[in-house]
Amino acid sequence: MHQALRERLVDAGRVLALEGQGDYVAGHVSVRLPDQPGRFLMKPAGIGIEEMRPDNIITVDLGGRKVDGTMPRHNEVFIHSEVLRARPDVNAVVHTHPIHAVAFSSLGKPLLAVGNDASWFVGNLPIFSETTDLIIDQPRGRAVARCLADRPALLLRNHGIVTAAPTMEEAVWLALKLNQACHVQLMAEWAGGPKFVGDPEQAKIKGAYASRPDLHAGAFNYVLRRSKR
């Protein structure tokens, strides 16, 4: 049941891992069941994000309870359950620990339009700083969802990222673009700090027209093809 959705979740894991967002067995992705909006498929604990298979994916409800599957559930399930509960427009959630985003989150600086990748996040990237610990209970999950609000992504300070989108392809695309934006700004910081940055309002306009379903799917499928070569 939901075989195509399971396979897309598997693909998401491969794409994220190939782009350096695997963290041994940490990090997880989820996708809401279209015919059961109070449940979602999720990567299980104990395996790498690229080791998901259609038959090892678990099903979880919005209370964070595993309702199907043989493998264990991640302790940080509440990132997914509470974001999906708060955001009926969201069907896919990514939480990973990409090293450039984690390093950038420690600077206490806003993300600037140093490069095009920042266009989708300039002035619209909350930083969750209530704790640097894991998000292992519902109150913390709710706090993350409140911090995210209606935005597409956030940084968990000294921890990682969360992205949320209507499709799996967009949620993965956001995760890749956010880490790249952080990487570019870090490089500028290493060189003494960016001297020139794009206009924030122009960046927002660029981000609005350059975020399209065909681009999300195109980037997702490109990396997926690379993973199979």
Side-chain angles (χ1 to χ4, degrees), residues 9 26 40 45 52 54 57 82 85 167 170 179 184 200 205:
L9 195 62
F40 55 94
M52 282 188 292
I57 288 168
E82 295 305 317
R85 185 198 302 276
T167 67
E170 184 176 359
N179 191 48
V184 169
I205 293 170

Side-chain angles (χ1 to χ4, degrees), residues 6-135:
R6 289 173 179 270
E7 290 174 358
R8 208 52 173 166
L9 195 62
V10 168
D11 291 343
R14 289 177 178 161
V15 169
L16 289 163
L18 190 63
E19 289 295 293
Q21 296 208 22
D23 182 12
Y24 304 102
V25 299
H28 22 89
V29 292
S30 65
V31 61
R32 194 193 302 267
L33 294 176
D35 56 339
Q36 301 177 65
R39 293 186 173 187
F40 55 94
L41 301 177
M42 184 178 178
K43 171 192 173 285
I47 61 172
I49 202 166
E50 78 284 5
E51 293 183 304
M52 282 188 292
R53 301 291 179 267
D55 61 355
N56 66 23
I57 288 168
I58 63 172
T59 305
V60 182
D61 67 19
L62 292 184
R65 295 173 289 270
K66 186 179 78 170
V67 296
D68 187 53
T70 60
M71 295 195 70
R73 184 210 70 184
H74 276 281
N75 288 339
E76 287 193 305
V77 65
F78 301 105
I79 293 174
H80 303 264
S81 61
E82 295 305 317
V83 169
L84 290 169
R85 185 198 302 276
R87 294 279 301 276
D89 61 308
V90 163
N91 294 311
V93 177
V94 171
H95 168 55
T96 55
H97 309 138
I99 58 174
H100 299 110
V102 173
F104 178 78
S105 76
S106 73
L107 298 182
K109 294 184 176 183
L111 191 65
L112 304 174
V114 177
N116 287 339
D117 291 323
S119 299
W120 299 278
F121 311 105
V122 170
N124 199 35
L125 182 66
I127 299 177
F128 181 76
S129 56
E130 290 185 24
T131 181
T132 59
D133 201 354
L134 301 181
I135 310 302

